[in-house]
Amino acid sequence: MREKQNNWQRIEAVIKWANMSTNYFARYIGLARGENLYQIKRGNNGISLDVADRIVSKFPQVDKLWLLTGEGQMFSEERIRGAQIPYYNVDVEQGIAHLEHLDAESNLVVPPVGACDLAMCYTGRAMGNIVPPGTVVLLKAVDRDAIIPGGEYVIVCRKIVTLRIVRAADEEGKVRLVAGDRENYDDIVLNVNDIVSVYKVKGKLIINS
């Protein structure tokens, strides 16, 4: 199996393909200077969503998921596997209840993790190390009756939108939403009938910022 390139090797591959110097490439994608890229080269930084978005906006042939993770191939049109889903560059807990009013920033070609409807970023802290802040979550809309206890879901209610682990509650007709960081975040108990919509977390793209 071909060894996956590290962060800098992927950046360098794009720079060489574009036939640019590192400093010119940095200016071309809108970075004030090449220092950010050199920090990636030194291993101090990963490839952030911002840097990936800047590169893909200038070079749409380059696959964003490959840039961020090294999975797949450099050029999106060469990808054989995976489906495209819309990516909304907003926090999932803030934006998903207003999805019909949002415009997708781009598409992500995702590896086969089951059918997904969309991707959003998670910037909260309640999920702790299970879903670290900055993670892109791959989501599938499901019926509330299809919730499987122990799974991670985005739950949309009239008064609250949250990404939590869903577990059965002691009382019938209720669910208990459990944080990944239980030391600092309490459980939330909800009436099932108060749930407006549910999105199952089908995959997580944990990104170094």
Side-chain angles (χ1 to χ4, degrees):
M1 179 182 292
R2 183 171 58 91
E3 185 178 352
K4 190 164 66 174
Q5 293 172 303
N6 65 30
N7 290 325
W8 174 248
Q9 287 171 331
R10 298 196 299 277
I11 293 285
E12 188 178 41
V14 178
I15 293 173
K16 288 181 176 179
W17 170 75
N19 197 27
M20 296 178 177
S21 69
T22 300
N23 285 332
Y24 184 83
F25 180 83
R27 292 195 301 272
Y28 185 74
I29 65 174
L31 296 176
R33 53 200 175 118
E35 180 62 25
N36 189 307
L37 299 184
Y38 285 115
Q39 290 296 330
I40 296 173
K41 183 176 183 178
R42 296 184 188 107
N44 297 330
N45 293 341
I47 301 174
S48 67
L49 268 175
D50 176 66
V51 170
D53 287 339
R54 288 174 183 272
I55 292 173
V56 172
S57 70
K58 293 292 187 180
F59 305 103
Q61 306 96 322
V62 175
D63 184 78
K64 185 189 287 186
L65 191 69
W66 171 83
L67 262 178
L68 292 168
T69 68
E71 298 291 341
Q73 299 178 17
M74 177 174 168
F75 297 109
S76 53
E77 60 264 34
E78 293 179 2
R79 295 292 293 268
I80 299 172
R81 299 185 308 162
Q84 289 196 29
I85 60 173
Y87 169 66
Y88 300 86
N89 190 21
V90 296
D91 176 61
V92 61
E93 293 181 331
Q94 298 293 322
I96 201 161
H98 313 288
L99 191 59
E100 67 274 14
H101 302 299
L102 299 177
D103 292 323
E105 179 177 288
S106 60
N107 287 327
L108 285 182
V109 180
V110 298
V113 293
C116 299
D117 293 322
L118 70 148
M120 282 187 169
C121 54
Y122 173 73
T123 61
R125 299 190 178 275
M127 289 300 288
N129 292 330
I130 298 174
V131 189
T135 297
V136 173
V137 287
L138 310 178
L139 304 172
K140 173 69 176 176
V142 298
D143 190 85
R144 65 188 183 191
D145 295 330
I147 293 175
I148 300 172
E152 298 162 12
Y153 295 86
V154 177
I155 302 295
V156 181
C157 295
R158 294 174 181 83
K159 294 184 178 180
I160 188 173
V161 178
T162 186
L163 194 164
R164 296 285 178 106
I165 301 165
V166 178
R167 299 199 181 278
D170 295 334
E171 189 176 343
E172 188 176 352
K174 295 181 182 291
V175 291
R176 184 162 49 93
L177 309 183
V178 179
D181 180 4
R182 299 194 72 182
E183 289 187 5
N184 296 301
Y185 294 87
D186 295 331
D187 294 355
I188 300 171
V189 178
L190 293 176
N191 291 315
V192 174
N193 290 336
D194 290 338
I195 297 175
V196 175
S197 54
V198 179
Y199 295 84
K200 180 174 176 57
V201 178
K202 300 284 287 185
K204 292 174 284 189
L205 178 57
I206 299 174
I207 298 165
N208 294 321
S209 59

